[in-house]
PDB file of all heavy atoms in Angstrom:
ATOM      1  N   GLN E 135      14.880 103.065  30.840  1.00 76.00           N
ATOM      2  CA  GLN E 135      15.308 104.317  30.221  1.00 76.00           C
ATOM      3  C   GLN E 135      15.813 104.122  28.803  1.00 76.00           C
ATOM      4  O   GLN E 135      15.659 104.999  27.948  1.00 76.00           O
ATOM      5  CB  GLN E 135      16.407 104.970  31.071  1.00 76.00           C
ATOM      6  CG  GLN E 135      15.927 105.446  32.429  1.00 76.00           C
ATOM      7  CD  GLN E 135      17.022 106.166  33.195  1.00 76.00           C
ATOM      8  OE1 GLN E 135      17.828 106.886  32.609  1.00 76.00           O
ATOM      9  NE2 GLN E 135      17.068 105.979  34.497  1.00 76.00           N
ATOM     10  N   SER E 136      16.400 102.959  28.516  1.00 72.00           N
ATOM     11  CA  SER E 136      16.937 102.708  27.175  1.00 72.00           C
ATOM     12  C   SER E 136      15.837 102.631  26.125  1.00 72.00           C
ATOM     13  O   SER E 136      16.106 102.746  24.934  1.00 72.00           O
ATOM     14  CB  SER E 136      17.746 101.403  27.164  1.00 72.00           C
ATOM     15  OG  SER E 136      16.918 100.292  27.487  1.00 72.00           O
ATOM     16  N   ARG E 137      14.572 102.444  26.555  1.00 73.00           N
ATOM     17  CA  ARG E 137      13.461 102.346  25.626  1.00 73.00           C
ATOM     18  C   ARG E 137      12.853 103.707  25.293  1.00 73.00           C
ATOM     19  O   ARG E 137      12.000 103.816  24.420  1.00 73.00           O
ATOM     20  CB  ARG E 137      12.359 101.443  26.196  1.00 73.00           C
ATOM     21  CG  ARG E 137      12.826 100.100  26.707  1.00 73.00           C
ATOM     22  CD  ARG E 137      13.493  99.277  25.642  1.00 73.00           C
ATOM     23  NE  ARG E 137      12.596  98.992  24.516  1.00 73.00           N
ATOM     24  CZ  ARG E 137      12.981  98.340  23.427  1.00 73.00           C
ATOM     25  NH1 ARG E 137      14.229  97.930  23.304  1.00 73.00           N
ATOM     26  NH2 ARG E 137      12.117  98.112  22.458  1.00 73.00           N
ATOM     27  N   ILE E 138      13.260 104.741  26.015  1.00 78.00           N
ATOM     28  CA  ILE E 138      12.686 106.060  25.797  1.00 78.00           C
ATOM     29  C   ILE E 138      13.295 106.669  24.543  1.00 78.00           C
ATOM     30  O   ILE E 138      14.511 106.762  24.404  1.00 78.00           O
ATOM     31  CB  ILE E 138      12.926 106.979  27.012  1.00 78.00           C
ATOM     32  CG1 ILE E 138      12.314 106.356  28.266  1.00 78.00           C
ATOM     33  CG2 ILE E 138      12.331 108.351  26.771  1.00 78.00           C
ATOM     34  CD1 ILE E 138      12.630 107.119  29.529  1.00 78.00           C
ATOM     35  N   LEU E 139      12.426 107.098  23.619  1.00 68.00           N
ATOM     36  CA  LEU E 139      12.918 107.653  22.363  1.00 68.00           C
ATOM     37  C   LEU E 139      13.610 108.992  22.571  1.00 68.00           C
ATOM     38  O   LEU E 139      14.689 109.231  22.062  1.00 68.00           O
ATOM     39  CB  LEU E 139      11.752 107.806  21.372  1.00 68.00           C
ATOM     40  CG  LEU E 139      12.147 108.207  19.956  1.00 68.00           C
ATOM     41  CD1 LEU E 139      13.012 107.129  19.324  1.00 68.00           C
ATOM     42  CD2 LEU E 139      10.895 108.440  19.107  1.00 68.00           C
ATOM     43  N   GLU E 140      12.950 109.889  23.342  1.00 63.00           N
ATOM     44  CA  GLU E 140      13.547 111.178  23.678  1.00 63.00           C
ATOM     45  C   GLU E 140      13.225 111.478  25.126  1.00 63.00           C
ATOM     46  O   GLU E 140      12.098 111.299  25.571  1.00 63.00           O
ATOM     47  CB  GLU E 140      12.994 112.286  22.780  1.00 63.00           C
ATOM     48  CG  GLU E 140      13.386 112.137  21.318  1.00 63.00           C
ATOM     49  CD  GLU E 140      12.905 113.319  20.506  1.00 63.00           C
ATOM     50  OE1 GLU E 140      12.918 114.448  21.049  1.00 63.00           O
ATOM     51  OE2 GLU E 140      12.522 113.111  19.346  1.00 63.00           O
ATOM     52  N   LYS E 141      14.212 111.945  25.841  1.00 55.00           N
ATOM     53  CA  LYS E 141      14.026 112.186  27.267  1.00 55.00           C
ATOM     54  C   LYS E 141      13.613 113.612  27.585  1.00 55.00           C
ATOM     55  O   LYS E 141      13.395 113.959  28.727  1.00 55.00           O
ATOM     56  CB  LYS E 141      15.315 111.838  28.017  1.00 55.00           C
ATOM     57  CG  LYS E 141      15.702 110.365  27.930  1.00 55.00           C
ATOM     58  CD  LYS E 141      16.966 110.091  28.704  1.00 55.00           C
ATOM     59  CE  LYS E 141      17.313 108.606  28.656  1.00 55.00           C
ATOM     60  NZ  LYS E 141      17.597 108.146  27.290  1.00 55.00           N
ATOM     61  N   ASN E 142      13.513 114.441  26.557  1.00 50.00           N
ATOM     62  CA  ASN E 142      13.029 115.793  26.806  1.00 50.00           C
ATOM     63  C   ASN E 142      11.957 116.124  25.777  1.00 50.00           C
ATOM     64  O   ASN E 142      11.786 115.420  24.797  1.00 50.00           O
ATOM     65  CB  ASN E 142      14.169 116.819  26.747  1.00 50.00           C
ATOM     66  CG  ASN E 142      14.925 116.726  25.426  1.00 50.00           C
ATOM     67  OD1 ASN E 142      14.511 116.019  24.513  1.00 50.00           O
ATOM     68  ND2 ASN E 142      16.016 117.442  25.322  1.00 50.00           N
ATOM     69  N   GLY E 143      11.241 117.178  26.026  1.00 49.00           N
ATOM     70  CA  GLY E 143      10.162 117.520  25.107  1.00 49.00           C
ATOM     71  C   GLY E 143       8.886 117.785  25.869  1.00 49.00           C
ATOM     72  O   GLY E 143       8.888 118.301  26.983  1.00 49.00           O
ATOM     73  N   ARG E 144       7.758 117.395  25.284  1.00 48.00           N
ATOM     74  CA  ARG E 144       6.446 117.698  25.830  1.00 48.00           C
ATOM     75  C   ARG E 144       6.285 117.157  27.252  1.00 48.00           C
ATOM     76  O   ARG E 144       6.429 115.977  27.512  1.00 48.00           O
ATOM     77  CB  ARG E 144       5.385 117.066  24.925  1.00 48.00           C
ATOM     78  CG  ARG E 144       3.954 117.321  25.344  1.00 48.00           C
ATOM     79  CD  ARG E 144       3.033 116.552  24.417  1.00 48.00           C
ATOM     80  NE  ARG E 144       1.647 116.817  24.740  1.00 48.00           N
ATOM     81  CZ  ARG E 144       0.634 116.153  24.227  1.00 48.00           C
ATOM     82  NH1 ARG E 144       0.866 115.168  23.385  1.00 48.00           N
ATOM     83  NH2 ARG E 144      -0.605 116.457  24.564  1.00 48.00           N
ATOM     84  N   GLY E 145       5.974 118.059  28.181  1.00 49.00           N
ATOM     85  CA  GLY E 145       5.710 117.635  29.548  1.00 49.00           C
ATOM     86  C   GLY E 145       6.905 116.990  30.220  1.00 49.00           C
ATOM     87  O   GLY E 145       6.753 116.009  30.923  1.00 49.00           O
ATOM     88  N   GLU E 146       8.117 117.529  30.025  1.00 55.00           N
ATOM     89  CA  GLU E 146       9.308 116.831  30.500  1.00 55.00           C
ATOM     90  C   GLU E 146       9.463 116.859  32.013  1.00 55.00           C
ATOM     91  O   GLU E 146      10.174 116.046  32.582  1.00 55.00           O
ATOM     92  CB  GLU E 146      10.559 117.440  29.859  1.00 55.00           C
ATOM     93  CG  GLU E 146      10.821 118.882  30.245  1.00 55.00           C
ATOM     94  CD  GLU E 146      12.052 119.441  29.567  1.00 55.00           C
ATOM     95  OE1 GLU E 146      12.366 119.012  28.459  1.00 55.00           O
ATOM     96  OE2 GLU E 146      12.699 120.310  30.171  1.00 55.00           O
ATOM     97  N   GLY E 147       8.792 117.786  32.693  1.00 66.00           N
ATOM     98  CA  GLY E 147       8.911 117.863  34.143  1.00 66.00           C
ATOM     99  C   GLY E 147       7.557 117.767  34.821  1.00 66.00           C
ATOM    100  O   GLY E 147       6.547 118.202  34.275  1.00 66.00           O
ATOM    101  N   GLN E 148       7.536 117.177  36.015  1.00 75.00           N
ATOM    102  CA  GLN E 148       6.294 117.094  36.779  1.00 75.00           C
ATOM    103  C   GLN E 148       6.645 116.953  38.245  1.00 75.00           C
ATOM    104  O   GLN E 148       7.525 116.181  38.617  1.00 75.00           O
ATOM    105  CB  GLN E 148       5.445 115.910  36.311  1.00 75.00           C
ATOM    106  CG  GLN E 148       4.125 115.796  37.052  1.00 75.00           C
ATOM    107  CD  GLN E 148       3.174 114.850  36.352  1.00 75.00           C
ATOM    108  OE1 GLN E 148       3.064 114.848  35.136  1.00 75.00           O
ATOM    109  NE2 GLN E 148       2.484 114.046  37.128  1.00 75.00           N
ATOM    110  N   GLN E 149       5.947 117.720  39.067  1.00 83.00           N
ATOM    111  CA  GLN E 149       6.209 117.670  40.500  1.00 83.00           C
ATOM    112  C   GLN E 149       5.738 116.354  41.085  1.00 83.00           C
ATOM    113  O   GLN E 149       4.853 115.685  40.543  1.00 83.00           O
ATOM    114  CB  GLN E 149       5.513 118.845  41.203  1.00 83.00           C
ATOM    115  CG  GLN E 149       6.090 120.204  40.830  1.00 83.00           C
ATOM    116  CD  GLN E 149       5.421 121.326  41.599  1.00 83.00           C
ATOM    117  OE1 GLN E 149       4.364 121.139  42.192  1.00 83.00           O
ATOM    118  NE2 GLN E 149       6.060 122.489  41.602  1.00 83.00           N
ATOM    119  N   ALA E 150       6.344 115.996  42.203  1.00 90.00           N
ATOM    120  CA  ALA E 150       6.025 114.723  42.846  1.00 90.00           C
ATOM    121  C   ALA E 150       4.594 114.721  43.371  1.00 90.00           C
ATOM    122  O   ALA E 150       4.103 115.709  43.899  1.00 90.00           O
ATOM    123  CB  ALA E 150       7.003 114.467  43.981  1.00 90.00           C
ATOM    124  N   PHE E 151       3.925 113.577  43.185  1.00 90.00           N
ATOM    125  CA  PHE E 151       2.604 113.377  43.774  1.00 90.00           C
ATOM    126  C   PHE E 151       2.398 111.890  43.993  1.00 90.00           C
ATOM    127  O   PHE E 151       3.127 111.061  43.453  1.00 90.00           O
ATOM    128  CB  PHE E 151       1.495 113.978  42.903  1.00 90.00           C
ATOM    129  CG  PHE E 151       1.149 113.143  41.703  1.00 90.00           C
ATOM    130  CD1 PHE E 151       0.039 112.305  41.719  1.00 90.00           C
ATOM    131  CD2 PHE E 151       1.931 113.169  40.567  1.00 90.00           C
ATOM    132  CE1 PHE E 151      -0.282 111.521  40.627  1.00 90.00           C
ATOM    133  CE2 PHE E 151       1.617 112.393  39.466  1.00 90.00           C
ATOM    134  CZ  PHE E 151       0.509 111.570  39.495  1.00 90.00           C
ATOM    135  N   THR E 152       1.418 111.541  44.777  1.00 96.00           N
ATOM    136  CA  THR E 152       1.160 110.137  45.122  1.00 96.00           C
ATOM    137  C   THR E 152       0.035 109.585  44.247  1.00 96.00           C
ATOM    138  O   THR E 152      -1.031 110.202  44.120  1.00 96.00           O
ATOM    139  CB  THR E 152       0.769 109.996  46.594  1.00 96.00           C
ATOM    140  OG1 THR E 152       1.844 110.498  47.409  1.00 96.00           O
ATOM    141  CG2 THR E 152       0.520 108.535  46.954  1.00 96.00           C
ATOM    142  N   VAL E 153       0.286 108.403  43.680  1.00 97.00           N
ATOM    143  CA  VAL E 153      -0.713 107.745  42.836  1.00 97.00           C
ATOM    144  C   VAL E 153      -1.848 107.240  43.731  1.00 97.00           C
ATOM    145  O   VAL E 153      -1.597 106.542  44.712  1.00 97.00           O
ATOM    146  CB  VAL E 153      -0.081 106.571  42.059  1.00 97.00           C
ATOM    147  CG1 VAL E 153      -1.131 105.897  41.166  1.00 97.00           C
ATOM    148  CG2 VAL E 153       1.100 107.051  41.232  1.00 97.00           C
ATOM    149  N   PRO E 154      -3.096 107.577  43.402  1.00 97.00           N
ATOM    150  CA  PRO E 154      -4.224 107.147  44.254  1.00 97.00           C
ATOM    151  C   PRO E 154      -4.402 105.628  44.242  1.00 97.00           C
ATOM    152  O   PRO E 154      -3.975 104.937  43.316  1.00 97.00           O
ATOM    153  CB  PRO E 154      -5.438 107.837  43.607  1.00 97.00           C
ATOM    154  CG  PRO E 154      -4.877 108.877  42.702  1.00 97.00           C
ATOM    155  CD  PRO E 154      -3.522 108.412  42.282  1.00 97.00           C
ATOM    156  N   ASP E 155      -5.056 105.119  45.266  1.00 97.00           N
ATOM    157  CA  ASP E 155      -5.401 103.701  45.313  1.00 97.00           C
ATOM    158  C   ASP E 155      -6.259 103.338  44.098  1.00 97.00           C
ATOM    159  O   ASP E 155      -7.118 104.123  43.671  1.00 97.00           O
ATOM    160  CB  ASP E 155      -6.181 103.367  46.591  1.00 97.00           C
ATOM    161  CG  ASP E 155      -5.298 103.401  47.826  1.00 97.00           C
ATOM    162  OD1 ASP E 155      -4.062 103.323  47.672  1.00 97.00           O
ATOM    163  OD2 ASP E 155      -5.853 103.518  48.941  1.00 97.00           O
ATOM    164  N   GLY E 156      -6.034 102.150  43.564  1.00 95.00           N
ATOM    165  CA  GLY E 156      -6.819 101.687  42.430  1.00 95.00           C
ATOM    166  C   GLY E 156      -6.447 102.330  41.115  1.00 95.00           C
ATOM    167  O   GLY E 156      -7.198 102.214  40.142  1.00 95.00           O
ATOM    168  N   HIS E 157      -5.277 102.962  41.043  1.00 97.00           N
ATOM    169  CA  HIS E 157      -4.852 103.648  39.823  1.00 97.00           C
ATOM    170  C   HIS E 157      -3.393 103.330  39.492  1.00 97.00           C
ATOM    171  O   HIS E 157      -2.632 102.865  40.334  1.00 97.00           O
ATOM    172  CB  HIS E 157      -5.015 105.166  39.962  1.00 97.00           C
ATOM    173  CG  HIS E 157      -6.437 105.626  39.968  1.00 97.00           C
ATOM    174  ND1 HIS E 157      -7.278 105.408  41.037  1.00 97.00           N
ATOM    175  CD2 HIS E 157      -7.171 106.299  39.022  1.00 97.00           C
ATOM    176  CE1 HIS E 157      -8.472 105.924  40.762  1.00 97.00           C
ATOM    177  NE2 HIS E 157      -8.433 106.451  39.552  1.00 97.00           N
ATOM    178  N   LEU E 158      -3.023 103.609  38.243  1.00 97.00           N
ATOM    179  CA  LEU E 158      -1.649 103.466  37.762  1.00 97.00           C
ATOM    180  C   LEU E 158      -1.225 104.761  37.084  1.00 97.00           C
ATOM    181  O   LEU E 158      -2.047 105.461  36.500  1.00 97.00           O
ATOM    182  CB  LEU E 158      -1.543 102.321  36.745  1.00 97.00           C
ATOM    183  CG  LEU E 158      -1.940 100.912  37.191  1.00 97.00           C
ATOM    184  CD1 LEU E 158      -1.956  99.971  35.991  1.00 97.00           C
ATOM    185  CD2 LEU E 158      -0.979 100.402  38.248  1.00 97.00           C
ATOM    186  N   PHE E 159       0.073 105.042  37.166  1.00 96.00           N
ATOM    187  CA  PHE E 159       0.645 106.161  36.414  1.00 96.00           C
ATOM    188  C   PHE E 159       1.378 105.576  35.209  1.00 96.00           C
ATOM    189  O   PHE E 159       2.262 104.730  35.361  1.00 96.00           O
ATOM    190  CB  PHE E 159       1.626 106.951  37.287  1.00 96.00           C
ATOM    191  CG  PHE E 159       2.088 108.237  36.656  1.00 96.00           C
ATOM    192  CD1 PHE E 159       1.400 109.418  36.874  1.00 96.00           C
ATOM    193  CD2 PHE E 159       3.203 108.261  35.838  1.00 96.00           C
ATOM    194  CE1 PHE E 159       1.824 110.612  36.290  1.00 96.00           C
ATOM    195  CE2 PHE E 159       3.635 109.442  35.261  1.00 96.00           C
ATOM    196  CZ  PHE E 159       2.945 110.620  35.479  1.00 96.00           C
ATOM    197  N   VAL E 160       0.993 106.009  34.003  1.00 96.00           N
ATOM    198  CA  VAL E 160       1.535 105.427  32.776  1.00 96.00           C
ATOM    199  C   VAL E 160       2.121 106.513  31.885  1.00 96.00           C
ATOM    200  O   VAL E 160       1.656 107.657  31.886  1.00 96.00           O
ATOM    201  CB  VAL E 160       0.441 104.647  32.001  1.00 96.00           C
ATOM    202  CG1 VAL E 160      -0.061 103.473  32.820  1.00 96.00           C
ATOM    203  CG2 VAL E 160      -0.718 105.551  31.599  1.00 96.00           C
ATOM    204  N   LEU E 161       3.143 106.130  31.117  1.00 94.00           N
ATOM    205  CA  LEU E 161       3.778 107.033  30.155  1.00 94.00           C
ATOM    206  C   LEU E 161       4.043 106.284  28.863  1.00 94.00           C
ATOM    207  O   LEU E 161       4.234 105.061  28.858  1.00 94.00           O
ATOM    208  CB  LEU E 161       5.114 107.565  30.698  1.00 94.00           C
ATOM    209  CG  LEU E 161       5.085 108.485  31.921  1.00 94.00           C
ATOM    210  CD1 LEU E 161       6.518 108.773  32.378  1.00 94.00           C
ATOM    211  CD2 LEU E 161       4.336 109.770  31.630  1.00 94.00           C
ATOM    212  N   GLY E 162       4.093 107.020  27.760  1.00 92.00           N
ATOM    213  CA  GLY E 162       4.545 106.458  26.498  1.00 92.00           C
ATOM    214  C   GLY E 162       6.049 106.564  26.393  1.00 92.00           C
ATOM    215  O   GLY E 162       6.667 107.462  26.995  1.00 92.00           O
ATOM    216  N   ASP E 163       6.684 105.664  25.643  1.00 91.00           N
ATOM    217  CA  ASP E 163       8.143 105.732  25.483  1.00 91.00           C
ATOM    218  C   ASP E 163       8.563 106.908  24.607  1.00 91.00           C
ATOM    219  O   ASP E 163       9.678 107.415  24.745  1.00 91.00           O
ATOM    220  CB  ASP E 163       8.660 104.422  24.872  1.00 91.00           C
ATOM    221  CG  ASP E 163       8.584 103.266  25.857  1.00 91.00           C
ATOM    222  OD1 ASP E 163       8.308 103.510  27.053  1.00 91.00           O
ATOM    223  OD2 ASP E 163       8.806 102.120  25.432  1.00 91.00           O
TER     224      ASP E 163
END
Side-chain angles (χ1 to χ4, degrees):
Q135 293 184 37
S136 62
R137 310 301 300 177
I138 301 174
L139 188 63
E140 294 185 36
K141 296 181 178 63
N142 55 8
R144 181 184 183 190
E146 64 181 30
Q148 181 166 319
Q149 293 183 345
F151 77 99
T152 300
V153 181
D155 288 341
H157 289 72
L158 301 172
F159 189 91
V160 297
L161 294 174
D163 289 350

